[in-house]
Amino acid sequence: MKKEIPYKIYLEEQEMPKQWYNVRADMKKKPAPLLNPETQKPVTLEELSGIFCQELAKQELDDTTPYFDIPEEIRDFYKMYRPSPLTRAYCLEKKLDTPAHIYYKFEGNNTSGSHKLNSAIAQAYYAKAQGLKGVTTETGAGQWGTALSMACAYLDLDCQVYMVKCSYEQKPFRREVMRTYGAKVTPSPSMNTQVGQRINKEFPGTTGSLGCAISEAVEAAVSQEGYRYVLGSVLAQVLLHQSVIGLETKAALDKYGIKADMIIGCAGGGSNLGGLISPFAGQMLKGEADYDIIAVEPASCPSLTRGVYAYDFCDTGKVCPLAKMYTLGSGFIPSANHAGGLRYHGMSSTVSELYAQGYLKARSVGQTEVFQAAQMFAKVEGILPAPESSHAIRVAIDEALKCRETGEEKNIVFGLTGTGYFDMVAYQKFNDGIMSDYVPSDEELQRSFAALPKVD
Ligand SMILES: *Cc1c(COP(=O)(O)O)cnc(C)c1O
């Protein structure tokens, strides 16, 4: 008998995943290795362990082990806010008058307001287990810094956050949430680090960028005894931790006998998307099932749809390993008018390689249409979505509207990565009708590509 699908498809606590899934293990052609920028040879465990915690460096380099046990302490922490609900968007379907069935996996149900806590707790756990004093990181809009400060507070670790200066000044609330959890928040570029001093001197009055804050945080980690650097997206270890999203989604769908046709996620550095799609892409890689997977990115920062697939720097200061990825060039800075997040210049190597192999498609969308989708979703489903998440909402709505034309009853699943309560300046622009849709010109991108590192 067909089960009635409830609004909220909950898993029981005991149905939560006990292992993370490493999709790289099932890829015949693996993502290209990280390279040491000086020697251009694949980075070694020893080199990576100087920057990252030992266990995380191991996870980063391991592309053959399919499953990693989730330590019990992390599983206990997950239980405070997971399993996250998979919700049938009945009200949105009705509004769109579509025969499609729309489901969303909601990751905003914790104080950080996003999926980032899934990896923050894992990274803080391994730092603590190694006996470190603390961790350093960067944050742009502030979700990652908030998630990490929560995780560090829980485990009693010191947390130092370099926050992009314009966000530090424009988003005082995020900053204060981090400080409430005990993190030390420094506007970047600062005068605390050599790279910060250099950038301040070269570009006086600069309001910073994510790439620059990464360079500062890495320098702060390697120059303090007992500290390591942690990163909230892009890396393979982060995708591994975020696979909990996809594993729960798949378990919940399986429980109700639902087969997804289409899986949609927003893509900044690729961590939520990579985590959401991992088990599904794994089935595709093994020839067990087929899905339409769509990565959605902003038209103003279009790394998959208009970038090049090449080795590039992960940061402005060029201190991090080189990664092969779809990139706009590490010097690319999205237009200041761009309010919708997802501003990183590159894309996870794993997501990039899956894209290159044709396992997923990519689409870019303008920010006004993204906020229109956000508003429609908020009105009918109640949740005020993060602008980042709303990129996925836009494409889910577009696909559901196509089903209205064709009459197809597709099962559309999308990742609702977080809430938008701290993005009210962006919503204000939208509500005032002064949001603009900037799209970089080909010349602009070519200029940026010209500065890519030469790798033989
Ligand atoms: C950080 C963030 C993203 C984008 O990061 P990915 O690594 O691409 O997942 C998307 N949504 C929210 C709410 C975020 O905080």
Side-chain angles (χ1 to χ4, degrees):
M1 204 186 82
K2 215 173 149 194
K3 272 193 206 161
E4 183 75 21
I5 310 295
Y7 275 73
K8 294 254 191 303
I9 305 174
Y10 278 111
L11 289 177
E12 302 296 328
E13 216 167 85
Q14 64 272 18
E15 294 172 304
M16 285 171 64
K18 296 191 172 57
Q19 295 179 309
W20 292 302
Y21 171 59
N22 180 15
V23 69
R24 290 174 296 168
D26 288 311
M27 295 171 72
K28 282 194 198 81
K29 181 164 181 270
K30 308 289 182 189
L34 295 173
L35 300 184
N36 177 320
E38 269 147 44
T39 62
Q40 299 208 345
K41 298 240 161 51
V43 288
T44 62
L45 181 62
E46 208 185 329
E47 287 165 344
L48 267 195
S49 305
I51 306 175
F52 301 125
C53 308
Q54 184 83 23
E55 205 52 41
L56 294 166
K58 273 191 204 154
Q59 292 178 354
E60 192 63 35
L61 297 179
D62 189 335
D63 58 11
T64 54
T65 307
Y67 290 96
F68 285 78
D69 287 339
I70 307 176
E72 197 178 343
E73 195 165 354
I74 299 178
R75 279 196 279 137
D76 286 343
F77 185 87
Y78 279 169
K79 283 175 196 163
M80 291 196 279
Y81 69 101
R82 311 198 67 82
S84 70
L86 181 70
T87 302
R88 172 84 183 264
Y90 279 115
C91 302
L92 181 62
E93 289 169 20
K94 192 165 160 221
K95 171 83 183 170
L96 297 172
D97 188 24
T98 175
H101 296 184
I102 307 174
Y103 299 85
Y104 57 90
K105 181 72 169 162
F106 180 47
E107 292 291 323
N109 203 9
N110 68 76
T111 298
S112 82
S114 81
H115 64 286
K116 293 200 171 69
L117 193 55
N118 300 331
S119 184
I121 185 62
Q123 298 196 44
Y125 169 84
Y126 290 115
K128 184 79 182 176
Q130 191 176 325
L132 298 177
K133 286 188 208 139
V135 290
T136 70
T137 199
E138 77 295 328
T139 198
Q143 290 99 315
W144 168 246
T146 308
L148 189 69
S149 57
M150 289 171 71
C152 287
Y154 181 73
L155 293 166
D156 199 18
L157 268 179
D158 188 38
C159 181
Q160 302 175 356
V161 182
Y162 286 84
M163 185 171 190
V164 178
K165 196 180 271 170
C166 65
S167 301
Y168 182 91
E169 284 159 5
Q170 287 169 10
K171 299 197 170 183
F173 297 135
R174 281 255 187 235
R175 183 183 78 206
E176 290 315 315
V177 176
M178 288 184 255
R179 293 181 62 212
T180 304
Y181 280 97
K184 182 171 162 232
V185 188
T186 306
S188 166
S190 74
M191 297 305 272
N192 292 4
T193 63
Q194 285 174 6
V195 60
Q197 289 166 14
R198 200 176 76 216
I199 291 169
N200 269 319
K201 201 165 148 204
E202 227 172 291
F203 308 97
T206 176
T207 52
S209 71
L210 210 48
C212 165
I214 295 176
S215 306
E216 281 210 277
V218 172
E219 186 185 318
V222 298
S223 58
Q224 293 175 91
E225 173 90 27
Y227 282 76
R228 289 293 185 283
Y229 167 69
V230 296
L231 179 62
S233 181
V234 185
L235 296 173
Q237 54 185 278
V238 183
L239 265 70
L240 175 72
H241 308 145
Q242 295 297 357
S243 70
V244 70
I245 304 173
L247 292 164
E248 278 184 12
T249 302
K250 184 151 187 318
L253 291 172
D254 288 350
K255 189 168 164 180
Y256 282 85
I258 303 158
K259 158 81 172 58
D261 295 301
M262 190 169 262
I263 302 161
I264 300 168
C266 63
S271 77
N272 88 81
L273 175 82
L276 172 67
I277 69 171
S278 275
F280 301 99
Q283 285 185 298
M284 288 170 81
L285 288 160
K286 289 183 271 189
E288 294 170 0
D290 211 10
Y291 302 98
D292 275 329
I293 298 179
I294 307 177
V296 191
E297 59 185 14
S300 52
C301 192
S303 51
L304 287 171
T305 49
R306 292 177 68 201
V308 290
Y309 193 25
Y311 269 104
D312 195 8
F313 295 101
C314 295
D315 62 320
T316 315
K318 306 181 177 177
V319 294
C320 291
L322 298 172
K324 188 174 177 195
M325 54 187 177
Y326 281 88
T327 179
L328 299 169
S330 63
F332 180 83
I333 298 190
S335 154
N337 295 332
H338 174 65
L342 310 173
R343 305 172 65 97
Y344 190 63
H345 66 273
M347 181 59 60
S348 136
S349 295
T350 307
V351 169
S352 291
E353 185 54 36
L354 287 170
Y355 179 61
Q357 291 180 24
Y359 287 100
L360 59 106
K361 300 183 190 73
R363 216 173 279 176
S364 73
V365 289
Q367 64 176 351
T368 306
E369 54 173 335
V370 164
F371 278 81
Q372 282 162 350
Q375 184 178 37
M376 177 193 274
F377 183 84
K379 281 182 176 174
V380 293
E381 291 289 325
I383 297 170
L384 184 86
E388 291 91 340
S389 323
S390 306
H391 289 71
I393 300 176
R394 174 74 266 165
V395 170
I397 289 177
D398 290 345
E399 289 299 322
L401 289 174
K402 278 185 205 161
C403 291
R404 186 167 75 188
E405 301 307 313
T406 61
E408 284 172 290
E409 269 187 42
K410 275 190 191 169
N411 288 322
I412 300 174
V413 178
F414 74 88
L416 185 66
T417 50
T419 47
Y421 307 126
F422 289 100
D423 300 289
M424 285 303 131
V425 174
Y427 274 98
Q428 183 183 5
K429 276 192 191 154
F430 173 71
N431 291 330
D432 288 343
I434 55 168
M435 184 159 263
S436 60
D437 291 292
Y438 182 82
V439 179
S441 67
D442 287 336
E443 293 72 40
E444 211 174 311
L445 295 182
Q446 288 304 332
R447 267 200 304 281
S448 183
F449 298 151
L452 285 170
K454 304 276 171 286
V455 176
D456 324 308

